[in-house]
Amino acid sequence: MRLREFMGGIVLIVLALTTAQAARTHDPKDDLRTDAVIDNSVAVTADVSVTLPPLPSPLIEADKVLASAYFDTMGILSTNNDCSRFFGGPAAAVDAFSKLVGRVRKDHVAPTIGMGMSGATESFLNVQTKKEYRLFEKVVLNADGPFYRGHSARSEPARRLGSFEPNTREVRALIFLHELGHMVKGANGKWLLPNDGDNEGLSRRNSITIENVCADELHGLGGSQAGRDLALRVKAEEELTLPQSASAPEF
């Protein structure tokens, strides 16, 4: 009996010493370092960007405004964020957007139009991402529209898209993303944005849809909190004044 008690005491002493040693060698900072490594890993994953393709059009080198808008939009789409995920993820979004810009031609049309696509369409499947998109035969960027110009006359109200004033970095990126929404097919098998054609009310709603999804990225181009607050208020007012329709037409 005494031997068993003696051995049991030895075991208890060893366990106590082990526990005490662990307490002395454990540094709470180790937990912080572990958490930092985990957080850093998550951050790196969230910020992974895809490699940009070669410039898809010579117009980008010849037109500084177009070039700025192209790289602003590519900067949004090539990074993992809510906006790029809406378009199928960075790889899929960059692929489709590059193809879109590759077909852009400048022209002079009605000043209320920023950009338009028409004609026959071709269907594409990104083998890497398994995402589908289409390309229109004609892609026109209006040289007289809000992409390039603000007020055409002092008495004329600004041709705002979403909550953005014309001829700004934000509105140019919004115009590109709006058109991209007509190209990319969602998980439900429908295009992300329904065809708006000559339906101005639906076109405005489509722009608001894109702005809602890509708000942080688009407003981040301006970098002004005051501008963001004003934009949110203007957007809310615009949504209240939009004509309501029973259903949106589909392609």
Side-chain angles (χ1 to χ4, degrees):
M1 178 66 70
R2 290 182 178 178
L3 179 60
R4 285 199 300 269
E5 292 175 351
F6 176 76
M7 294 301 296
I10 292 296
V11 170
L12 291 175
I13 292 173
V14 171
L15 290 174
L17 290 173
T18 303
T19 302
Q21 179 66 22
R24 286 195 299 270
T25 58
H26 176 72
D27 184 351
K29 294 180 180 178
D30 289 340
D31 292 335
L32 297 178
R33 284 195 291 268
T34 301
D35 291 342
V37 171
I38 293 174
D39 290 343
N40 183 60
S41 176
V42 172
V44 169
T45 301
D47 292 335
V48 167
S49 299
V50 298
T51 302
L52 296 184
L55 293 181
S57 169
L59 284 178
I60 296 174
E61 295 180 341
D63 187 328
K64 292 182 179 180
V65 173
L66 176 59
S68 175
Y70 170 79
F71 287 111
D72 278 345
T73 309
M74 270 298 187
I76 293 172
L77 296 176
S78 62
T79 304
N80 188 10
N81 53 57
D82 288 341
C83 188
S84 63
R85 286 191 292 271
F86 177 75
F87 292 100
V94 164
D95 177 36
F97 179 61
S98 178
K99 297 295 194 302
L100 166 65
V101 176
R103 295 202 175 185
V104 165
R105 298 293 180 270
K106 290 175 64 176
D107 203 346
H108 300 270
V109 294
T112 56
I113 297 174
M115 188 172 177
M117 304 186 296
S118 62
T121 61
E122 298 177 69
S123 297
F124 293 84
L125 173 66
N126 186 311
V127 177
Q128 177 187 357
T129 64
K130 309 302 181 186
K131 300 297 182 181
E132 295 182 61
Y133 63 93
R134 61 181 174 176
L135 285 177
F136 286 79
E137 181 182 6
K138 297 180 180 179
V139 180
V140 173
L141 184 59
N142 185 16
D144 296 328
F147 194 95
Y148 288 98
R149 300 181 183 277
H151 299 273
S152 60
R154 291 186 178 182
S155 60
E156 181 183 341
R159 296 183 297 274
R160 189 171 57 221
L161 274 72
S163 61
F164 301 120
E165 295 295 328
N167 192 25
T168 59
R169 292 176 67 185
E170 297 92 337
V171 86
R172 294 182 194 111
L174 177 59
I175 288 172
F176 273 150
L177 295 173
H178 180 136
E179 299 307 318
L180 188 63
H182 290 304
M183 292 172 49
V184 177
K185 185 173 289 187
N188 61 359
K190 298 181 179 180
W191 308 114
L192 294 177
L193 294 182
N195 175 39
D196 43 36
D198 296 324
N199 188 331
E200 183 178 353
L202 179 55
S203 178
R204 291 166 63 194
R205 286 195 292 274
N206 282 338
S207 290
I208 288 175
T209 295
I210 295 298
E211 185 179 347
N212 285 337
V213 173
C214 303
D216 288 341
E217 292 72 33
L218 288 170
H219 290 284
L221 295 175
S224 168
Q225 183 60 44
R228 176 193 288 264
D229 294 339
L230 175 62
L232 293 175
R233 179 167 61 81
V234 170
K235 180 175 64 176
E237 293 172 353
E238 181 138 355
E239 288 177 328
L240 291 175
T241 62
L242 287 177
Q244 301 298 317
S245 58
S247 60
E250 298 287 346
F251 257 111

